[in-house]
């Protein structure tokens, strides 16, 4: 069945350092979405990627979809304490309706 | 505020009991999803409904069931509860089904503690 792994599982960075999380799927994806869950909160949609090789930016966040549509990355430049939380990718494989979330990467930013 | 309403916010119950979690989707959303998040764990997809019909099933136990009503609200029923069922249960909604890659909006969750 569909497996979605994210690495790393945890990441501690000093404020101002960069951060990257990777999402890897065992199958080709229709699209991929990224969500952020603050501690004690609920997941909140960040962005959706659809096209092979697509790159999208939101201020300090850069999202990339792999050429083979099997992996994606989220890069944060110059992290801030407000970036703390768990970042999830969410995928739907072609021909299904299941919205599967990755294992998540928990980010801690040390001031 | 995502517009998705879940009740109750917190629930403590004993093993062997049965509980019902309720979800009202955002206005206009036809799809409802249920997820389970255990402590420090990821989001486990349980089930999805679209306009009253079951559309996709994930790792939902036989002791659990759900339905979506004509007014589009949904209920998740958890029976014969075990300690391991203690978790945060999220409901989410979207305009249409996931095949089109719509954004899904999460409620604040229902914390279930089984003692």
């Amino acid at each position: 069945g569909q497996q979605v792994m994210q690495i790393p599982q945890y990441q501690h960075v000093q404020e101002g350092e960069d951060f990257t999380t990777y999402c890897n799927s065992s199958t080709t994806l229709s699209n991929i979405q990224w969500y952020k869950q603050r501690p004690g909160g609920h997941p909140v949609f960040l962005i959706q990627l659809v096209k092979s090789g697509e790159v999208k930016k939101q201020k300090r966040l850069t999202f990339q979809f792999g050429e083979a549509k099997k992996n994606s990355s989220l890069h944060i430049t110059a992290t801030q304490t407000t970036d703390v939380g768990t970042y999830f990718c969410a995928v739907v494989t072609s021909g299904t309706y299941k919205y599967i979330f990755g294992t998540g990467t928990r980010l801690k930013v040390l001031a | 505020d995502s517009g998705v309403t879940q009740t109750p916010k917190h629930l403590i119950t004993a093993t062997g009991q049965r509980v019902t979690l309720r979800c009202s989707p955002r206005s206009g959303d036809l799809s409802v999803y249920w997820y389970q998040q255990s402590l420090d764990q990821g989001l486990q997809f349980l089930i999805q409904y679209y306009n009253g019909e079951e559309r996709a099933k994930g790792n939902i136990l036989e002791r659990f069931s759900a339905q979506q009503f004509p007014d589009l609200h949904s209920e998740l029923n958890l029976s014969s509860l075990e300690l391991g069922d203690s978790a945060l249960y999220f409901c989410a909604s979207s305009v249409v089904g996931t095949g089109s890659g719509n954004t899904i909006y999460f409620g604040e969750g229902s914390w279930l503690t089984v003692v």
Side-chain angles (χ1 to χ4, degrees):
Chain A
Q2 173 73 51
Q3 291 189 9
V4 183
M5 297 300 297
Q6 279 185 254
I7 53 172
Q9 190 175 359
Y10 300 96
Q11 183 85 58
H12 293 183
V13 298
Q14 289 288 336
E15 190 174 20
E17 291 182 339
D18 292 356
F19 159 77
T20 305
T21 174
Y22 300 89
C23 179
N24 299 299
S25 167
S26 56
T27 58
T28 303
L29 305 170
S30 302
N31 58 72
I32 190 164
Q33 297 185 349
W34 285 92
Y35 290 78
K36 176 183 178 182
Q37 184 177 20
R38 292 182 187 276
H42 59 276
V44 175
F45 173 80
L46 293 176
I47 208 159
Q48 175 174 285
L49 304 172
V50 179
K51 300 176 184 175
S52 168
E54 188 171 15
V55 177
K56 286 188 176 180
K57 293 191 176 186
Q58 286 180 352
K59 297 182 180 177
R60 295 178 296 104
L61 277 60
T62 302
F63 304 83
Q64 187 163 4
F65 204 4
E67 293 290 342
K69 299 184 76 172
K70 283 189 173 183
N71 55 68
S72 179
S73 65
L74 158 58
H75 178 82
I76 302 178
T77 304
T79 54
Q80 300 176 357
T81 54
T82 53
D83 296 325
V84 165
T86 302
Y87 292 84
F88 292 99
C89 60
V91 304
V92 178
T93 43
S94 301
T96 79
Y97 294 104
K98 292 184 183 180
Y99 235 137
I100 305 299
F101 278 72
T103 47
T105 295
R106 180 177 291 183
L107 173 64
K108 263 194 174 178
V109 179
L110 307 171
Chain B
D1 182 11
S2 66
V4 179
T5 304
Q6 288 187 248
T7 57
K9 286 188 169 27
H10 297 91
L11 189 58
I12 301 175
T13 191
T15 54
Q17 294 298 305
R18 172 190 170 96
V19 298
T20 297
L21 308 180
R22 195 178 190 279
C23 171
S24 293
R26 291 189 326 152
S27 176
D29 283 0
L30 299 178
S31 268
V32 170
Y33 313 75
W34 287 97
Y35 288 86
Q36 179 193 56
Q37 186 173 43
S38 301
L39 195 62
D40 292 335
Q41 297 296 310
L43 291 153
Q44 297 298 317
F45 171 71
L46 297 178
I47 200 163
Q48 183 207 352
Y49 282 84
Y50 175 72
N51 205 20
E53 299 289 327
E54 181 184 307
R55 172 160 279 191
K57 216 170 201 180
N59 300 322
I60 187 166
L61 300 172
E62 285 191 12
R63 300 183 285 108
F64 296 180
S65 65
Q67 54 183 325
Q68 186 179 27
F69 295 87
D71 66 353
L72 300 178
H73 91 272
S74 178
E75 292 181 355
L76 179 66
N77 300 296
L78 315 174
S79 62
S80 302
L81 285 167
E82 302 175 359
L83 296 178
D85 297 327
S86 296
L88 181 56
Y89 290 85
F90 282 112
C91 170
S93 73
S94 67
V95 173
V96 291
T98 56
S100 54
N102 279 273
T103 303
I104 59 175
Y105 296 88
F106 282 80
E108 295 188 2
S110 291
W111 277 103
L112 173 65
T113 302
V114 182
V115 297

